[in-house]
């Protein structure tokens, strides 16, 4: 089994249907052995393409893909709705990246809520210009440590109503301040970060 075939199967499944098959489904799709698929998935983790988690409901099924940036198979605070597909956004950064990556999806609706006050937020995010708004993103984990636990990192890249809400949340949670950026900066960061993830090589 070719590792790039496996990577593309995971990414394209996320892009097209919003989720990814389990190991047995990937094996059927690629006409491969389940052990080879599992070995390949673990290599893709080491290469920082994926994050895996062991199955709680059926340990014998092996690990499942929980993230293939910018896609997520688990809710981490964001929903991203395209014309035909609903995705979980891995984080603020990943959610804003989806319209730049997925062919035929030039606009998505990104929805979340402020971690400090619970206020709901939604933006039409396009490829052409950043959305308007006074909200800010807070990245809690420094870039050098993001892959120590990438799911934890993504769960703590959130959008807040304002810098004041960030301050409130930091005080209430006893968390150190990370990096704060406005929507336009977040959009520019996300715009081409994942270019090529759906292409071979």
């Amino acid at each position: 089994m070719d590792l790039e075939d496996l990577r593309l199967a995971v990414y394209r499944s996320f892009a097209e249907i919003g989720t990814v098959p389990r190991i047995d489904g990937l094996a059927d799709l690629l006409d491969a052995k389940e052990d080879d698929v599992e070995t390949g998935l673990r290599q893709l983790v080491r290469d920082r393409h994926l994050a895996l988690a062991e199955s709680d409901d059926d340990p014998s099924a092996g690990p499942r893909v929980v993230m293939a940036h910018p896609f997520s198979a688990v809710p981490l605070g964001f929903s991203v709705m395209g014309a035909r597909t609903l995705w979980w956004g891995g984080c603020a950064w990943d959610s804003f990246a989806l319209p730049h990556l997925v062919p035929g999806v030039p606009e998505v609706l990104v929805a979340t809520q402020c971690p400090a006050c619970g206020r709901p937020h939604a933006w039409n995010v396009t490829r052409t210009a950043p959305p308007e708004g006074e909200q800010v993103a807070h990245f809690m984990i420094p870039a050098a440590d993001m892959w120590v636990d990438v799911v934890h990192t993504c769960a703590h890249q959130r959008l807040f109503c304002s810098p004041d809400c960030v301050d409130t949340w930091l005080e209430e949670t006893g968390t150190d301040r990370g990096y704060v950026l406005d929507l336009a900066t977040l959009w520019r960061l996300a715009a081409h970060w994942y270019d090529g993830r759906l292409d071979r090589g």
Side-chain angles (χ1 to χ4, degrees), residues 1 8 11 32 38 67 79 84 87 97 99 102 146 165 170:
M1 181 193 65
L8 285 172
Y11 270 88
E38 182 171 348
M67 297 193 78
S79 62
R84 295 177 301 278
W87 296 276
V102 181
M146 286 181 175
C165 271
L170 293 173

Side-chain angles (χ1 to χ4, degrees), residues 25-166:
L26 287 167
D28 289 344
L29 184 65
L30 296 167
D31 193 25
K33 297 178 180 177
E34 291 184 24
D35 287 348
D36 291 341
V37 170
E38 182 171 348
T39 298
L41 291 175
R42 294 192 186 281
Q43 182 60 51
L44 290 171
V45 170
R46 288 189 289 274
D47 294 342
R48 296 187 172 181
H49 290 290
L50 309 178
L52 300 179
E54 299 301 325
S55 175
D56 293 331
D57 55 335
D58 183 6
S60 66
R64 62 190 178 99
V65 176
V66 292
M67 297 193 78
H69 295 285
F71 303 106
S72 176
V74 294
L76 294 171
F78 293 87
S79 62
V80 183
M81 186 172 66
R84 295 177 301 278
T85 307
L86 180 65
W87 296 276
W88 292 121
C91 60
W93 182 353
D94 289 349
S95 298
F96 273 46
L98 283 171
H100 301 280
L101 176 66
V102 181
V105 185
E107 180 176 346
V108 297
L109 178 67
V110 174
T112 189
Q113 66 181 27
C114 176
C117 70
R119 180 181 174 190
H121 296 288
W123 304 267
N124 290 316
V125 180
T126 71
R127 299 174 185 169
T128 55
E132 295 183 0
E134 299 301 317
Q135 297 90 346
V136 297
H138 178 257
F139 288 10
M140 189 177 86
I141 308 298
D145 299 327
M146 286 181 175
W147 276 91
V148 173
D149 183 342
V150 72
V151 176
H152 174 78
T153 294
C154 288
H156 291 88
Q157 291 184 355
R158 300 295 303 274
L159 281 157
F160 292 77
C161 299
S162 65
D164 288 344
C165 271
V166 174

